[in-house]
Amino acid sequence: MQYQAEQSRGLAADIEQAAQVLRDADYVAVLTGAGVSAESGIATFRGAGGLWEGHRIEEVATPHAFQRDPTLVWRFYNQRRTKLCAVKPNPGHHALAQLEEQRGSERFALITQNVDGLHRAAGSRHVLELHGSLARIRCSGCGQVDERPPEDPLPDLPTCDECRALLRPDIVWFEEPLPEDVWTEAAECAARSDVFLVAGTSAVVYPAARLVPIAKSAGAVIVEINLTATEASQWVDFGLYGPSGQILPRLTRWRAAGR
Ligand code: BJW
Ligand code: ZN
């Protein structure tokens, strides 16, 4: 798709123009981050309020942290699982689910760094979870992965029924590789997209952040939805700055009205 970036003409006009580009796109991919769930009441990782009990995410979300102090790490994840029982998808999640519904899943991919399951809860179907899920546990001994919904509480230090080794959240920690099949599909979807939405992410964590230049260099129009400019902004054709729970419904409503 050929598109020339223009100077910003104000948010409403930019949303309208981006929505038209979205409507004309054959394939749309979306990359989401913690900001998309902020309006559901889930804290983001970085910036104000991004610390947990004085720890940075890099201090609790690593294999070394788990080896050193599994109780601390499980406290972090069990608190987040408990919190999940009380949260619901917000209008941003619903707008993305509706976009997939309108287009058909074969022309849409939702790539998320989030582990909260809120995109699926909103009805999204073609969801690629790059960093795992809070609703699954994995045995650190035998590797068995099981669904364990947040409504089903875990002990402070859960162990495997089969081999007695410690269980861990089925989450991708720093210094761990992303699930290869999920990453390969995400990179293919980004490269295939005519429009690539990047919403609610600081775009500082790799390899997820690479999806933006992958999409851009394959010719996609890049639309950023965030409260502020980010590391991804250098690739952006449209920067729509405001809460994603307000911007995404406006972006997709235009599509519904346009045809
Ligand atoms: C709103 C909003 C509203 C708020 N509306 N917007 C040096 C250079 C480059 C890379 C590296 C490096 N050193 C190390 C690395 C690699 C490392 C990395 O990227 N580090 C960087 C931090 C420097 N990456 C890894 O280690 C990855 N693995 C890897 O590289 O493996 C290689 C390997 C290969 C083979 C063998 C072995 C290894 C793994 C990364 C895993 C990340 N995991 C985490 C935590 C686990 C999940 C969990 O517990 O929840 O995932 S980190 C954390 O950051 C979490 C998130 O998914 C991820 C991204 O954060 P996100 O979503 O962008 O959130 P924030 O808080 O950063 O931003 C929120 C945004 O929302 C802001 O922009 C706000 O403005 C905005 N916002 N309200 C709209 N209402
Ligand atoms: Zn086991």
Side-chain angles (χ1 to χ4, degrees), residues 62-69 173-175:
T62 72
H64 302 294
F66 188 64
Q67 274 166 16
R68 193 172 53 235
D69 193 347
W173 285 330
F174 284 110
E175 301 158 27

Side-chain angles (χ1 to χ4, degrees), residues 153-173:
L154 290 164
D156 292 346
L157 211 47
T159 51
C160 176
D161 290 341
E162 302 301 320
C163 76
R164 315 310 313 169
L166 273 182
L167 296 176
R168 54 164 285 176
D170 190 28
I171 297 278
V172 181
W173 285 330

Side-chain angles (χ1 to χ4, degrees), residues 32-36 38-39 43-47 57-58 61 76-77 80 112-115 131 134 171-178 199-207 225-230 242-245:
T32 65
V36 163
E39 287 154 85
T44 61
F45 293 98
R46 298 172 184 83
I57 181 72
E58 290 80 359
F76 175 62
Y77 284 98
R80 290 173 62 199
T112 188
Q113 298 166 86
N114 298 345
V115 296
H131 292 164
L134 280 173
I171 297 278
V172 181
W173 285 330
F174 284 110
E175 301 158 27
E176 294 186 319
L178 274 54
T201 177
S202 58
V204 297
V205 173
Y206 285 80
I225 300 103
N226 202 303
L227 294 181
T228 60
T230 69
S244 53

Side-chain angles (χ1 to χ4, degrees), residues 92-111:
H93 297 104
H94 288 299
L96 292 173
Q98 214 176 351
L99 185 62
E100 179 176 7
E101 182 70 29
Q102 289 161 356
R103 305 182 54 78
S105 300
E106 66 289 350
R107 298 200 301 139
F108 181 88
L110 203 165
I111 306 160

